Amino acid sequence: MYRRIKNHLRMNVASLGLASRVVASFILVFGLMGSVGLYLMKRSLLPTFETIDRKAAYDAAKRVLSGIDEQLVSLSVLNHDWAYWDEMYEHLLKPNQKFQVSNIGPAAMATSNLNAVMLMNLKGEVIGFGARALSNERTPQMRDILGILLGRWQGEAQHIPVTKCGLSWVLERPASICWTGVVHSDGSHPPSGTVVMVRELEPDSLKNIAANAGIDFKLDALGEVKGRSSEKESSLQMAKFQYLPALELTLISQDTVIDIQSALPGLNGRSFARVDMRIERQWMVQAEKLLTDMMMQWAVVAFVSGFMLISVIQRWLVRPVARLRTDLASLGESKRWDSVLKYDRPDEIGELTKGINALLLVLHEQVRKLESASRTDALTGIANRRKLDERMTLELSRLARHAVPLSLLLIDVDHFKRYNDTYGHPEGDAALRKVAAVLASCSRQQDLAARFGGEEFAVLLPNTDESGARSVAEKIMQGMSALNIPHAQSPTSPRLSVSIGGTTWSEIQSGGAETLISQADKALYVAKRDGRMRASFYNG
């Protein structure tokens, strides 16, 4: 049977003319060459896009974990401020009912962003406790907070003036917990007790983190990282954050998505929760589509070019493909996505190069957008806290060298929680975008308007003295008035208003950015205390 088929093929080939034999041989050889070329391209492209997808997954996970760490940082700043509050120091030594009601009473807790505040004296006695309901409508009790902390405090002193923070579940809700030993602001007295603060990682806060990170995620209370043996699994090490330690990321690659998991440690040293994240594999999908398109083009080229001489094909196709493959491999190694492959040809190689250049252009643009998104607030479109911190470090360095004035304004939307409760979160988001637009319009090119967090904003004013900063604050107040956004539940104004706290440095001071922010925050506190809808400046 085999001999019969072989003899039949030999007779059919022998009956073909020389030209047909050349064409048939060329099609066969060219088809084989095309297959080899595509295989080599696949080996060059797919690992590159796999690396890009993994980098995008790593960066997205880093933004999520950084957002969770920033929740701890925000609470630690507030906890630290309370711990160095002289009135708090005196209260722990000699409890004052008026002070307690004013600061952690039901009315005070209802308007704060904290879910629990606990005050303990040096004897370990709780002399003050205030709480606000969590998002599940359950209100923490003193025993709930003590039950979490006593195990953590076992064998260590909690009354030291160092802020410590961690994550824990409080009544089935994730929360940040910070505590600091309370000392006199001048540091000349021993601690008088400890102040503990609890703030829930509210659903809206988690949504904001997801929006800023550009990736969906959820917290699993079980906390165990579970791989799937059927998919491609790998691990990456995440660098240490301010409060979160160095974490291990588990990446589970599937056809169109990458699942990312990481275990967050809790206060007690055991696993607090597992962060489950998922990101689409944009570049791998495009690469596979590109390879499929390339295979089709190669097939067409093989049949159309079969009538050309082998020497011409060798010159105009095989060599350029080898050169293109080499350039792609070099591009994959250098990671220079802004490069352009220069093959100005009116044939399939030229079209292929245009497709790759178009893909490189998309890749370059997406990398640029990712870099921009990491420093831009997703909701308002202005700079985020990370960009503000970077710029503040730069301006303080410039101030240390040249001694030109530097001013900072902190802006807080008055009674914004009531606004959200009355008009809903979509309207609240729209209001924040309008406030951000006012700040941007009142800023010069060298100024930086940024979202500080929640309903708080900041404007950094380089080369601006206090008079200039007051002028900008007045422009902001006028801009808010011009917006004329109704706020029926505001006890301050029938329109949405802001309070502004500012500070100006003519020379560098100790403490750097932390001190600059602290002074502006203290001025903001005075503006709120004096009735809101006004600006106040730090006077030492």
Side-chain angles (χ1 to χ4, degrees):
M1 183 66 181
Y2 170 77
R3 288 182 178 180
R4 185 179 300 177
I5 294 175
K6 182 178 179 180
N7 291 333
H8 181 72
L9 290 174
R10 183 180 297 173
M11 291 177 62
N12 288 334
V13 170
S15 63
L16 294 175
L18 179 60
S20 299
R21 292 182 184 181
V22 172
V23 170
S25 301
F26 180 78
I27 290 176
L28 180 61
V29 173
F30 188 79
L32 180 61
M33 290 176 60
S35 299
V36 172
L38 286 172
Y39 171 75
L40 294 176
M41 287 185 182
K42 183 176 181 180
R43 291 192 61 182
S44 300
L45 284 175
L46 293 187
T48 301
F49 285 101
E50 173 71 20
T51 301
I52 296 172
D53 278 339
R54 286 168 55 85
K55 180 64 166 58
Y58 176 87
D59 291 341
K62 183 176 181 180
R63 292 193 294 273
V64 169
L65 296 175
S66 176
I68 295 175
D69 187 72
E70 287 175 3
Q71 294 290 315
L72 291 168
V73 173
S74 173
L75 182 60
S76 72
V77 171
L78 180 60
N79 187 257
H80 181 272
D81 289 344
W82 278 44
Y84 283 78
W85 185 8
D86 290 348
E87 293 181 26
M88 174 67 69
Y89 182 86
E90 298 297 335
H91 175 70
L92 289 176
L93 292 175
K94 187 177 180 180
N96 184 314
Q97 182 64 22
K98 182 179 179 181
F99 175 86
Q100 181 152 317
V101 171
S102 174
N103 291 280
I104 62 173
M109 293 300 299
T111 58
S112 74
N113 61 356
L114 300 174
N115 295 98
V117 176
M118 186 172 67
L119 308 178
M120 299 181 67
N121 61 22
L122 292 177
K123 297 178 181 180
E125 299 169 343
V126 177
I127 64 169
F129 185 81
R132 178 174 65 90
L134 301 166
S135 60
N136 60 6
E137 300 183 357
R138 298 175 65 182
T139 302
Q141 302 299 317
M142 182 172 62
R143 61 178 179 273
D144 300 321
I145 308 305
L146 282 174
I148 296 171
L149 291 174
L150 289 180
R152 175 64 174 81
W153 288 343
Q154 187 174 7
E156 70 174 43
Q158 68 269 23
H159 301 299
I160 57 175
V162 176
T163 303
K164 295 186 177 182
C165 298
L167 300 170
S168 183
W169 292 94
V170 178
L171 298 178
E172 300 180 354
R173 290 299 305 157
S176 304
I177 301 179
C178 291
W179 65 92
T180 308
V182 178
V183 295
H184 200 274
S185 61
D186 61 10
S188 63
H189 298 75
S192 62
T194 298
V195 56
V196 179
M197 291 182 176
V198 179
R199 179 188 291 162
E200 178 188 1
L201 297 178
E202 297 179 339
D204 287 342
S205 299
L206 297 178
K207 288 180 181 179
N208 287 336
I209 293 174
N212 292 334
I215 181 175
D216 292 330
F217 75 94
K218 64 179 181 179
L219 297 178
D220 189 337
L222 295 179
E224 298 177 359
V225 176
K226 299 179 179 179
R228 308 172 191 171
S229 58
S230 58
E231 281 89 9
K232 183 179 179 181
E233 181 177 325
S234 59
S235 297
L236 292 175
Q237 192 71 23
M238 181 70 67
K240 182 182 181 299
F241 296 91
Q242 183 165 343
Y243 282 103
L244 292 180
L247 300 173
E248 183 179 85
L249 298 179
T250 299
L251 277 60
I252 305 171
S253 301
Q254 303 184 55
D255 291 339
T256 59
V257 298
I258 296 179
D259 288 330
I260 314 163
Q261 296 179 352
S262 183
L264 294 177
L267 280 176
N268 55 11
R270 295 189 296 271
S271 179
F272 157 70
R274 185 182 71 236
V275 186
D276 291 329
M277 298 162 274
R278 170 168 287 188
I279 186 171
E280 295 183 359
R281 303 187 65 179
Q282 299 179 359
W283 308 119
M284 183 61 72
V285 172
Q286 292 188 36
E288 291 177 350
K289 183 179 183 301
L290 175 64
L291 288 174
T292 301
D293 293 343
M294 291 170 62
M295 290 177 65
M296 296 299 297
Q297 293 181 21
W298 271 108
V300 172
V301 171
F303 283 99
V304 173
S305 303
F307 298 94
M308 299 175 64
L309 296 175
I310 295 179
S311 59
V312 174
I313 295 300
Q314 176 69 19
R315 178 180 177 182
W316 292 100
L317 183 62
V318 176
R319 292 178 182 176
V321 167
R323 180 183 172 188
L324 178 61
R325 177 178 61 81
T326 302
D327 289 349
L328 285 173
S330 176
L331 182 61
E333 293 177 358
S334 65
K335 306 293 189 303
R336 295 184 58 186
W337 313 122
D338 57 341
S339 302
V340 176
L341 301 177
K342 297 180 181 180
Y343 289 92
D344 187 14
R345 298 175 46 140
D347 56 14
E348 288 80 4
I349 298 297
E351 292 299 318
L352 178 60
T353 305
K354 289 179 181 179
I356 295 175
N357 284 334
L359 184 59
L360 290 173
L361 181 62
V362 172
L363 177 60
H364 176 61
E365 181 65 15
Q366 290 298 320
V367 170
R368 186 191 64 80
K369 288 181 178 180
L370 285 173
E371 291 176 347
S372 175
S374 68
R375 292 172 175 80
T376 303
D377 181 64
L379 175 63
T380 62
I382 62 176
N384 62 10
R385 178 65 184 274
R386 176 182 294 178
K387 177 62 176 179
L388 175 65
D389 291 341
E390 292 176 353
R391 181 66 180 281
M392 195 176 304
T393 300
L394 177 64
E395 295 300 338
L396 288 173
S397 175
R398 183 178 290 117
L399 174 62
R401 295 194 307 271
H402 303 295
V404 293
L406 174 66
S407 296
L408 173 67
L409 301 180
L410 288 184
I411 301 96
D412 186 80
V413 182
D414 295 330
H415 307 291
F416 189 68
K417 183 179 185 300
R418 295 186 182 186
Y419 186 88
N420 268 341
D421 293 342
T422 303
Y423 300 98
H425 287 285
E427 287 297 322
D429 291 346
L432 291 179
R433 285 192 286 268
K434 292 179 181 178
V435 172
V438 168
L439 299 182
S441 68
C442 295
S443 302
R444 302 166 300 178
Q445 184 176 3
Q446 67 266 35
D447 301 335
L448 178 67
R451 188 178 182 194
F452 198 70
E455 68 271 19
E456 290 187 347
F457 296 84
V459 179
L460 190 63
L461 302 169
N463 199 16
T464 304
D465 58 15
E466 183 173 322
S467 175
R470 288 181 181 274
S471 177
V472 174
E474 181 61 28
K475 288 181 181 179
I476 293 173
M477 302 292 283
Q478 293 174 359
M480 287 300 302
S481 179
L483 285 179
N484 197 25
I485 301 175
H487 191 349
Q489 297 300 318
S490 172
T492 303
S493 167
R495 299 188 302 267
L496 192 66
S497 62
V498 298
S499 298
I500 303 176
T503 186
T504 299
W505 284 9
S506 57
E507 60 182 14
I508 200 70
Q509 299 182 25
S510 62
E514 183 177 343
T515 301
L516 184 67
I517 294 172
S518 176
Q519 291 180 3
D521 189 60
K522 289 177 181 178
L524 177 60
Y525 172 79
V526 173
K528 292 181 180 179
R529 184 196 63 191
D530 292 346
R532 301 177 185 266
M533 202 170 73
R534 66 193 66 222
S536 174
F537 276 74
Y538 180 79
N539 57 13

